[in-house]
């Protein structure tokens, strides 16, 4: 027997309707650059999103057709999020920091008919346009007097088009399983892979990130969305903020420590989200602000961190500088992205600050609606004992079940998606990412966690950044090499650094050698990029390698 409850489809358009109807006066603030701050409300955003929806129809974009963006976090990008998906078309957000050939690949592979772009990216657009013959129009996200001087097919001005469209629009009653947006993984190895989200997965993900033991986004929050809206839908914050009726602050492309600090202060932000490198820049800036002033300026209650492991020093400084809880979350493009969030349990209330920092180093517990588990290479489940590391697999309402137009064997018959991460799980369900499987160092048949070694190196006050890679060793098969960047004005020798690390990791894990460099390479999403490092050091021979000493 079925229940007798109403059946409604879970649709993205309902989120912005809810925000406008129930939190219509809550602000959306955008930094458009050069001191230009744009302000309107959820009610204003709804009107403009409806104009965008009419524009999408006028452009002849069909249901299920992709429309791409190359854009920073602004109110216009937000309107596209709702205006495009709300019609049944698919919003493909493209990361402008990818290599040009990857951007071209994504635009062509997604079959995008139009590209909405920020004027600061006009040069890039001019370069890619000739390689994307199926794109009918390039629409510049600006006013008529700011149009870029480029020659591309169907160049048009967003503001002129949008103001010419009616605010009258009735959102179609789509099937909740319809595709809503498309994001591609960075493709550090091989071609980027497309993940096609649905209205249903997006709404459920937003709902779960609003939950208290999650991001806890509420109507009282002012949210600074630092995570780019081209990176996994900005962690779903454009949707969860509407669902909660939170104030939304969009920083544009100005993400220096000083700019982030100013936005947090000026817009009284209570929550923000970003990757560890962004937090490092903020903390470096804040270091030079008077301690009492800092506490007065920043009213943040929590900072959400993900994308890569947050070093302990970030966690500690957030507490000491601002009294703010740095909350780690784990996820990936394939998982919408949020799967685990690190919020303490009742039993953690009595922890000392130091013990709580240890807890905060974990990547969190799974949200309801998702499952996580660790497996060995034969597919057997491993124990949740907090120290056995295995392949992390996930499944749930907002986890992909396939890539867009591409075969892949990442899924098993039970729907478990192999994340490519190695992790431990403790008895309370907290995961700790120990490595990406391609980065783990296999020394004499045992695994060494490159992340743990990096974390130990980073806990030395003279180290700014650290990468550990496994390189060939004639006896051990692979051994760790530590490549580190010293902090400005600080010095440390390789031996002193290894001595410091000796207390933090197993003795046999210690890197065989340390190389100091001026900077480390990063991916388009701001993560350490180990591929170029492996190439750079492929001929490196360890001082501990007998073959080396003989040669
Ligand atoms: P890409 O790195 O290819 O852009 P994603 O943004 O989807 O793709 O990155 C997902 C990966 O980021 C995860 O598989 C994991 O390795 C890493 N990651 C995400 N959050 C965390 C975290 N809290 N701690 C450690 N690693 C993380």
């Amino acid at each position: 027997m079925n229940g007798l409850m109403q059946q409604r489809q879970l649709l993205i358009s309902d989120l912005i309707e809810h925000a406008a109807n129930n939190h219509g006066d809550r602000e959306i603030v955008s930094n458009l650059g050069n001191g230009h701050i744009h302000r309107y409300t959820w009610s204003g955003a709804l009107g403009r999103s409806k104009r965008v929806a009419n524009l999408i129809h006028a452009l002849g974009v069909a249901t299920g057709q992709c429309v791409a963006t190359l854009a920073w976090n602004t109110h216009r990008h937000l309107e596209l999020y709702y205006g495009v998906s709300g019609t049944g078309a698919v919003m493909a957000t493209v990361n402008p920091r990818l290599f040009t050939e990857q951007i071209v690949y994504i635009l062509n592979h997604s079959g995008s008919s139009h590209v909405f772009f920020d004027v600061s990216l006009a040069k890039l657009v001019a370069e890619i346009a000739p390689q994307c013959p199926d794109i009918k129009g390039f629409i510049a996200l600006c006013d008529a007097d700011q149009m870029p001087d480029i020659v591309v097919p169907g160049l048009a001005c967003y503001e002129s088009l949008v103001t010419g469209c009616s605010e009258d629009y009735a959102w179609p009653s789509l099937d909740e399983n319809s595709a809503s947006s498309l994001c591609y993984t960075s493709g550090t190895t091989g071609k980027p892979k497309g993940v096609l989200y649905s209205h249903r997965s997006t709404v459920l993900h937003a709902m779960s990130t609003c939950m208290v033991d999650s991001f806890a986004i509420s109507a009282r929050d002012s949210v600074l969305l630092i995570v780019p809206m081209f990176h996994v839908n900005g962690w779903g914050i454009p949707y969860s903020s509407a669902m909660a009726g939170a104030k939304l602050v969009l920083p544009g492309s100005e993400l220096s420590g000083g700019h982030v600090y100013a936005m947090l202060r000026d817009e009284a932000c209570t929550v923000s989200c970003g990757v560890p490198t962004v937090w490092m820049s903020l903390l470096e800036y804040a270091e030079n602000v008077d301690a009492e002033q800092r506490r007065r300026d920043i009213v943040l209650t929590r900072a959400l961190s993900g994308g890569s492991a947050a070093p302990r020093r970030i966690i500690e400084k957030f507490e000491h500088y601002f009294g703010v809880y740095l909350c780690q979350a784990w996820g990936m493009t394939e998982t919408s992205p949020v799967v685990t969030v690190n919020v303490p349990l009742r039993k953690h209330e009595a922890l000392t600050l130091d013990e709580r920092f240890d807890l905060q180093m974990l990547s969190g517990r799974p949200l309801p609606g998702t499952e996580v588990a660790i497996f060995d290479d034969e597919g057997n489940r491993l124990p949740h004992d907090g120290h056995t590391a295995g392949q992390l697999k996930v499944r749930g309402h907002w986890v992909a079940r396939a890539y867009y137009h591409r075969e892949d064997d990442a899924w098993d018959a039970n729907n478990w998606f192999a994340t490519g991460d190695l992790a431990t799980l403790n008895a309370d369900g907290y995961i700790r990412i120990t490595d990406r499987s391609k980065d783990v160092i296999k020394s004499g048949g045992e695994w060494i966690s490159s992340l743990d070694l990096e974390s130990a190196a980073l806990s030395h006050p003279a180290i700014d950044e650290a990468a550990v890679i496994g390189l060939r060793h004639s006896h051990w098969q692979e051994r760790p090499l530590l490549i580190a960047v010293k902090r400005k004005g600080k010095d440390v020798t390789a031996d002193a650094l290894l001595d410091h690390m000796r207390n933090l990791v197993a003795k046999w894990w210690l890197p065989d050698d340390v190389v100091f460099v001026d900077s480390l390479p990063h991916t388009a999403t701001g993560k350490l990029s180990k591929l170029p490092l492996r190439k750079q050091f492929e001929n490196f021979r360890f001082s501990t390698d007998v073959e080396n000493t003989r040669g």
Side-chain angles (χ1 to χ4, degrees):
M1 182 166 67
N2 286 338
L4 291 173
M5 307 311 286
Q6 298 185 0
Q7 277 218 322
R8 266 178 86 110
Q9 302 298 299
L10 299 170
L11 297 179
I12 286 172
S13 51
D14 279 344
L15 299 178
I16 195 159
E17 284 286 343
H18 172 82
N21 292 333
N22 299 284
H23 307 276
D25 58 353
R26 283 298 265 163
E27 263 189 316
I28 296 162
V29 183
S30 301
N31 181 3
L32 300 182
N34 303 320
H36 183 194
I37 303 286
H38 174 276
R39 291 173 190 276
Y40 67 174
T41 59
W42 279 112
S43 171
L46 174 67
R48 293 260 302 184
S49 300
K50 289 187 167 181
R51 286 176 191 264
V52 171
N54 279 317
L55 171 62
I56 292 300
H57 288 295
L59 292 172
V61 178
T63 302
Q65 168 85 53
C66 280
V67 165
T69 60
L70 275 167
W72 310 113
N73 293 10
T74 68
H75 65 291
R76 292 177 178 128
H77 206 172
L78 182 77
E79 295 157 9
L80 286 159
Y81 259 56
Y82 286 99
V84 173
S85 303
T87 63
V90 179
M91 174 80 170
T93 51
V94 187
N95 181 349
R97 297 193 188 113
L98 293 173
F99 295 119
T100 311
E101 72 218 45
Q102 291 177 317
I103 297 176
V104 167
Y105 172 82
I106 292 171
L107 291 174
N108 290 333
H109 186 263
S110 63
S112 293
S113 62
H114 294 80
V115 177
F116 291 79
F117 68 97
D118 268 324
V119 178
S120 63
L121 300 167
K123 216 173 125 224
L124 172 68
V125 166
E127 195 185 332
I128 56 177
Q131 301 171 64
C132 303
D134 295 336
I135 293 175
K136 296 192 203 118
F138 289 86
I139 296 149
L141 294 166
C142 62
D143 289 317
D145 60 356
Q146 298 165 327
M147 285 298 283
D149 186 16
I150 53 173
V151 182
V152 290
L155 180 66
C157 166
Y158 179 78
E159 286 301 328
S160 308
L161 291 176
V162 167
T163 40
C165 288
S166 161
E167 232 179 74
D168 239 356
Y169 185 78
W171 303 109
S173 309
L174 303 168
D175 179 329
E176 64 181 11
N177 294 305
S178 314
S180 55
S181 64
L182 177 62
C183 294
Y184 282 76
T185 62
S186 312
T188 34
T189 49
K191 294 228 176 351
K193 301 173 194 173
V195 179
L196 189 61
Y197 310 98
S198 67
H199 283 259
R200 176 186 160 83
S201 70
T202 305
V203 172
L204 290 175
H205 177 263
M207 196 177 274
S208 81
T209 49
C210 285
M211 289 171 64
V212 176
D213 286 326
S214 178
F215 290 178
I217 310 288
S218 86
R220 290 161 299 287
D221 277 315
S222 164
V223 188
L224 177 64
L225 175 58
I226 305 176
V227 174
M229 289 166 75
F230 53 73
H231 197 202
V232 213
N233 296 321
W235 295 1
I237 298 281
Y239 306 116
S240 51
S241 300
M243 180 174 261
K247 171 176 167 179
L248 183 59
V249 184
L250 303 167
S253 60
E254 294 184 337
L255 299 178
S256 69
H259 278 112
V260 169
Y261 188 96
M263 290 220 99
L264 289 173
R265 178 194 59 209
D266 298 346
E267 302 305 329
C269 296
T270 52
V271 56
S272 182
C273 57
V275 293
T277 39
V278 163
W279 296 137
M280 280 308 289
S281 314
L282 170 68
L283 292 168
E284 270 161 29
Y285 177 85
E287 203 171 331
N288 298 315
V289 179
D290 170 70
E292 278 179 27
Q293 183 71 38
R294 236 167 19 208
R295 289 276 181 148
R296 274 198 303 275
D297 284 345
I298 305 299
V299 297
L300 211 59
T301 59
R302 58 212 185 277
L304 310 166
S305 181
S308 54
R312 189 181 170 107
R313 95 155 67 111
I314 296 188
I315 296 171
E316 291 175 357
K317 285 192 177 170
F318 259 99
E319 182 65 41
H320 297 318
Y321 286 9
F322 311 121
V324 163
Y325 180 87
L326 185 112
C327 170
Q328 287 215 63
W330 174 91
M332 54 201 307
T333 308
E334 290 87 336
T335 65
S336 296
V338 188
V339 174
T340 66
V341 181
N342 189 333
V343 177
L345 298 170
R346 172 86 190 210
K347 64 158 88 164
H348 297 131
E349 275 172 15
L351 293 184
T352 63
L353 199 51
D354 224 37
E355 288 166 342
R356 207 197 71 199
F357 291 151
D358 287 342
L359 178 73
Q360 283 174 262
M361 291 289 287
L362 307 177
S363 299
R365 310 170 72 235
L367 296 174
T370 66
E371 283 179 274
V372 304
I374 48 172
F375 295 83
D376 66 15
D377 287 346
E378 278 71 52
N380 304 307
R381 286 240 197 172
L382 292 171
H384 298 186
D385 58 13
H387 64 260
T388 309
Q391 294 180 32
L392 179 67
K393 298 192 179 183
V394 300
R395 56 185 182 188
H397 294 298
W398 48 92
V399 176
R401 64 178 161 84
Y403 289 113
Y404 183 60
H405 290 171
R406 180 187 171 124
E407 297 291 317
D408 202 282
D409 58 4
W411 290 266
D412 70 16
N414 297 317
N415 260 337
W416 285 110
F417 168 69
T419 64
D421 281 353
L422 300 172
T424 64
L425 247 169
N426 74 14
D428 293 322
Y430 287 83
I431 63 165
R432 192 172 71 85
I433 305 295
T434 59
D435 243 317
R436 290 199 113 165
S437 48
K438 59 182 190 310
D439 293 336
V440 72
I441 298 150
K442 292 177 189 110
S443 171
E446 302 279 350
W447 286 0
I448 298 178
S449 157
S450 67
L451 278 185
D452 283 358
L453 286 176
E454 286 158 13
S455 173
L458 281 172
S459 70
H460 192 288
I463 298 300
D464 201 29
E465 244 194 321
V468 173
I469 53 171
L471 293 177
R472 201 185 74 81
H473 190 286
S474 62
H475 180 67
W476 296 108
Q477 176 191 1
E478 264 187 358
R479 287 297 299 163
L481 172 71
L482 169 59
I483 307 158
V485 180
K486 290 184 203 168
R487 295 196 83 181
K488 252 191 231 125
K490 301 261 165 127
D491 204 11
V492 63
T493 62
D495 284 343
L497 178 56
L498 290 173
D499 269 347
H500 168 83
M501 293 169 68
R502 210 177 297 276
N503 302 321
L504 302 168
V505 296
K507 200 165 144 250
W508 65 274
W509 279 28
L510 274 187
D512 288 36
D513 284 299
V514 181
V515 176
F516 291 107
V517 293
D518 291 337
S519 64
L520 289 171
H522 293 93
T523 67
T525 51
K527 301 179 198 200
L528 271 180
S529 186
K530 295 194 179 175
L531 212 66
L533 283 179
R534 282 198 196 95
K535 232 184 157 45
Q536 186 183 342
F537 288 94
E538 68 190 347
N539 295 322
F540 186 89
R541 288 290 167 263
F542 286 111
S543 55
T544 53
D545 197 332
V546 200
E547 253 184 22
N548 177 57
T549 45
R550 276 192 199 130

